[in-house]
Amino acid sequence: MSAEEIELAAQWIATSKKLVVFTGAGISTESGLPDFRGPNGIWTRRDKGLPPPKTKKPWHLVDPNPAHYALVELQELGILDFLISQNVDNLHLKSGIKPEKLAELHGNTTLMVCLQCNRKMTYEEAGWDKRIWGPGYRTSPVHPRQPKCPYCGGRIISSIVNFGDPLPEKDLEAAFYHSKTCDVFLVIGSSLVVTPAAYCPQLALKAGAKVIILNEGETPFDNLVHLRIYGKAGQIMPKIVAQVKELLKLQKY
Ligand code: NAD
């Protein structure tokens, strides 16, 4: 990471007409959640014959970090148009991102979804006790007395997208639409190898947007994008947002 890279990212973001951000597991490692493919990721360790890294707290007690809050600041400044996330950890909503500005392509551990009316709800709202009814995955057996959607009576399942499950249609549609119509697209903490999520930066590039990748490790898009920043999201995002604020102040005068 260099001062020039931060300045350029801030300039593009401050002058963007439509900023879309795309996040992966790497934005949450500084909150204490392991990613899959980072240096201490679950799969990196598995390939070396090592057990998964230890998480200090249960997922629901983990807090957002400065990178998550930097995105909330961009939202409050009226600059963040839309956020696409592959994460299931609920940290974007917990940090204050508005649900209407967020597509969670792989679901959210705290939410269930109705297969009939598509509404999302917390486990509490659904009256679903995991100790009785289990995780409620799409592939889990259906018990005749398990809770149904409180709104329409349809079957409710965990919103988590497991391997082989379809992605949530509305979130995917929104993600593709916003990727195609933005002028600045910022990737934070993703190896960009999981599809269809990784089609989003491709769509943005094809549409002529300036694409920035902020990631510690390599991605297949590194030579195709307009700006590549290596480093930790929790350290770099607050610096970028601080400069965005300075530039906005200057624009006012
Ligand atoms: P990934 O593990 O494939 O890649 C994460 C990337 O982030 C790596 O390239 C790594 O070098 C980088 N990284 C790690 N820490 C970083 C930091 N502090 N700052 C900047 N970069 C950092 O993750 P992915 O691309 O999101 O795809 C994997 C899948 O993993 C997704 O489908 C996601 O649903 C799932 N997943 C989610 C979580 C979560 O919700 N927190 C955790 C693990 C896996």
Side-chain angles (χ1 to χ4, degrees):
M1 171 234 335
S2 70
E4 290 75 26
E5 288 165 349
I6 289 181
E7 205 178 307
L8 192 56
Q11 260 175 29
W12 289 353
I13 290 170
T15 54
S16 63
K17 291 192 181 71
K18 173 167 174 150
L19 169 72
V20 171
V21 178
F22 177 97
T23 64
I27 195 174
S28 298
T29 55
E30 287 161 88
S31 292
L33 293 177
D35 60 6
F36 279 167
R37 299 178 187 84
N40 200 33
I42 296 169
W43 290 345
T44 312
R45 288 174 61 90
R46 185 196 59 187
D47 292 349
K48 293 179 184 163
L50 296 169
K54 285 208 175 89
T55 326
K56 289 197 185 100
K57 289 179 186 173
W59 277 47
H60 68 282
L61 296 180
V62 168
D63 291 317
N65 67 56
H68 296 101
Y69 288 118
L71 296 179
V72 176
E73 280 198 75
L74 290 177
Q75 171 182 265
E76 278 157 16
L77 290 167
I79 290 182
L80 176 71
D81 194 82
F82 200 71
L83 174 60
I84 304 164
S85 186
Q86 299 170 91
N87 294 346
V88 297
D89 54 30
N90 193 43
L91 293 184
H92 286 308
L93 290 173
K94 201 171 181 181
S95 65
I97 291 291
K98 294 178 184 145
E100 63 273 20
K101 285 208 176 275
L102 176 68
E104 291 181 308
L105 297 182
H106 298 160
N108 178 318
T109 45
T110 68
L111 297 176
M112 299 194 84
V113 62
C114 173
L115 287 180
Q116 194 163 283
C117 69
N118 270 325
R119 257 197 239 227
K120 288 178 190 165
M121 62 203 91
T122 61
Y123 282 82
E124 293 74 34
E125 280 165 343
W128 187 286
D129 186 338
K130 284 187 186 171
R131 290 167 303 185
I132 304 172
W133 307 111
Y137 292 140
R138 189 180 283 266
T139 48
S140 303
V142 179
H143 300 273
R145 288 194 315 279
Q146 75 184 34
K148 293 193 167 69
C149 174
Y151 304 100
C152 76
R155 181 183 167 209
I156 45 176
I157 60 167
S158 157
S159 68
I160 294 293
V161 177
N162 287 312
F163 286 106
D165 288 346
L167 268 66
E169 213 173 298
K170 266 169 94 181
D171 292 65
L172 190 61
E173 257 174 34
F176 285 173
Y177 168 76
H178 289 290
S179 302
K180 279 189 243 175
T181 53
C182 66
D183 66 336
V184 178
F185 188 93
L186 168 64
V187 175
I188 307 173
S190 175
S191 60
L192 296 178
V193 293
V194 178
T195 54
Y199 296 146
C200 293
Q202 286 183 42
L203 291 171
L205 277 171
K206 218 171 146 194
K210 288 195 179 93
V211 178
I212 308 167
I213 296 182
L214 162 51
N215 198 56
E216 266 193 312
E218 289 174 4
T219 86
F221 291 83
D222 291 346
N223 295 323
L224 301 172
V225 298
H226 303 87
L227 180 59
R228 181 60 171 96
I229 306 176
Y230 289 89
K232 289 210 181 289
Q235 291 170 11
I236 296 171
M237 278 311 296
K239 290 186 180 158
I240 293 178
V241 172
Q243 289 222 13
V244 168
K245 284 179 168 171
E246 286 304 312
L247 290 167
L248 292 179
K249 265 193 226 159
L250 287 176
Q251 275 176 17
K252 276 192 190 156
Y253 296 117

